[in-house]
C-alpha cells in the first residue's frame, strides 16, 4: 500500500519519494569509470552522444508514471546558467529513462556536471 503521513494539522496524505538519483560528468568520454560520480538505484549511465544519456535503474520502477527532475552545471564562463536537463522525447521505461542536457536554443551540450532524481 501507500505510505501515509500525518501533517500534524489534521490531514493525512500519501508520501512520495526519490526512487533513484544520480550525479555524473557529462563531459567525460563514454565508458570512463568516473562518469557516474554517485547514485542511488542507478546501475549505470549510457552516453548516447552529445548531451544524450540513459539512466539505467538497478531495480526497475513499477510503471512509467514517474517524474524526472534535474539540473546541470557548466563551468565555461560564457555558458553558465543557459543549460537545462530535459526528458529525452519522453522515453520512460521501467528499467531506464533517457534524458538530455540542452542549451536554451535547444542544442545538445555535454555539461560538466549533471544531477537527476526520479520521483514517484
Amino acid at each position: 500500500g501507500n505510505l501515509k503521513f500525518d501533517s500534524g494539522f489534521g490531514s493525512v496524505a500519501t508520501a512520495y519519494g526519490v526512487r533513484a538519483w544520480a550525479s555524473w560528468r557529462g563531459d567525460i568520454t563514454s565508458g570512463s569509470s568516473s562518469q557516474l560520480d554517485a547514485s542511488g538505484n542507478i546501475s549505470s549511465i549510457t552516453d548516447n552522444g552529445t548531451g544524450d544519456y540513459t539512466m539505467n535503474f538497478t531495480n526497475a520502477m513499477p510503471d512509467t508514471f514517474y517524474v524526472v527532475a534535474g539540473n546541470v552545471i557548466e563551468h565555461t564562463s560564457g555558458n553558465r546558467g543557459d543549460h537545462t536537463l530535459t526528458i529525452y522525447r519522453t522515453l520512460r521505461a521501467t528499467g531506464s529513462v533517457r534524458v538530455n542536457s540542452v542549451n536554451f536554443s535547444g542544442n545538445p551540450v555535454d555539461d560538466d556536471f549533471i544531477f537527476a532524481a526520479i520521483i514517484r
Side-chain angles (χ1 to χ4, degrees), residues 23-38 45 112-113:
S23 169
W24 72 94
R25 296 288 305 268
D27 61 346
I28 294 178
T29 305
S30 176
S32 169
S33 60
S34 63
Q35 181 182 5
L36 184 59
D37 292 330
I45 301 292
D112 292 343
F113 298 99

Side-chain angles (χ1 to χ4, degrees), residues 45-98:
I45 301 292
T46 303
D47 188 341
N48 304 307
T50 303
D52 184 358
Y53 310 96
T54 300
M55 299 172 66
N56 302 295
F57 304 132
T58 303
N59 298 302
M61 297 294 138
D63 52 44
T64 58
F65 299 110
Y66 52 80
V67 172
V68 179
N71 190 23
V72 298
I73 296 174
E74 177 63 48
H75 285 167
T76 307
S77 63
N79 291 325
R80 286 188 181 168
D82 66 349
H83 300 165
T84 187
L85 184 74
T86 62
I87 299 172
Y88 185 84
R89 298 182 194 150
T90 63
L91 290 179
R92 293 184 188 142
T94 57
S96 65
V97 63
R98 198 161 170 181

